[in-house]
Amino acid sequence: MRTRAVPMRWQGLGKALPVLWGLYTGSGSVPYRVCVDLAAGSAKCTCPSRKFPCKHAVSLQELDIPDALPPDWVEEWTTRRATRELDSSPEAVARRLRAREKTADRRAAAMSSGIDGLRDWLLDVASAGVASLPGRPASWWQAFIARMIDAQVPGVAAAVSEIQEIVARSGPRWTSDVADRLGGLHLLCFVQPRSRLGVTIPEETVRATPGVSDRWVALLRLETDDGRVRTVRQWCWGRASGRWVVAIRHSAVGAPVPLLPHGQESSALVHFYPGSDRVALGELAGSRPPDVVPAPDSWRSSLASLEPMLMADPWQRLFPLGCASVRLCGTSLVDSSGHGLPVRDDSGLDMALALTGGASFDAWGLWDGHALRLGAVTVDGTLEVVA
């Protein structure tokens, strides 16, 4: 899957939402024609794959695609589909319903097979022991990751890939970190939330649901790059609701643009993905410099506030965390009661110290269970983003 999201393999990319299209250069002499209708959840590709959607249609949706006018072959496909959809006879409606049910049944069967394979894999790891993982060859990891992708559970594939990276990095805590991830996968076998399995929902479908209006402060941000797609995540706090939401943007070419203006307070309507704190943007009314965000008075009360998030999503790894009146003491940020949390020694901490001059400040960051990644501070009544 990694090479299929490389832009150099694509040409003629374009979008006229909700339709995306492009030509993929594969092993044959003629590029594959790939077209996806996000609104209808439909795709067409000239490759010989019998999977639906095929790997090329999935990869097309991961690219940063410019607006364009549809070429003739795309117009022909959309027109042909529209003609079929216009047929409202009972027979046509029943036929489309059977086709959707058949597709859903195939996906469910593939996912069930993938979960069964995950159970067997976890038993294999448990019988050999966590200590055996550093000796596993890369081919062992990649074979199982590819199997999970073929079973249409990319969320499991990403989780196993993360375990592989933890093992490769080693470090003093790698065994406990791996055991934690394995426990999460074991729980996944029984609960099977669709969002964690990697079942995607088109953004247009999410926007069709009722939204929530608030003044959202885009306070914390994290950018990652897995080698094929760059991702920016924002944690935004609602002034009226007091809740945190997560906004995610992906791009295969260049840095992705955050969903909301970062470091600003925006009046916006957002729509929630099912069973998740992730949101899609509906309407953005305007942005301005943010007012101060009230922080808990101690790390103890701040950590206690994470309980609802953990209960709603026990697989979550990063949490927005804040505390008032902290100071740097060694490698920790210590609150007024003397309790401290380890903080990452990075550019965010350097900027915070430069802004505060060593004085106490209100801190906001992302907590991963080991250390705080500082993202914003309040200095003299002004909220400043530092990462």
Side-chain angles (χ1 to χ4, degrees), residues 157-179:
V160 174
S161 181
E162 183 183 4
I163 294 175
Q164 182 186 12
E165 291 175 3
I166 294 172
V167 173
R169 287 197 305 266
S170 187
R173 290 192 303 261
W174 79 267
T175 52
S176 59
D177 287 345
V178 167

Side-chain angles (χ1 to χ4, degrees), residues 299-330:
W299 288 124
R300 187 183 297 273
S301 59
S302 188
L303 288 168
S305 70
L306 301 183
E307 182 181 3
M309 296 185 194
L310 275 169
M311 291 181 65
D313 185 359
W315 297 274
Q316 191 168 346
R317 300 296 176 189
L318 289 173
F319 300 91
L321 203 64
C323 185
S325 300
V326 300
R327 288 177 179 268
L328 182 66
C329 183

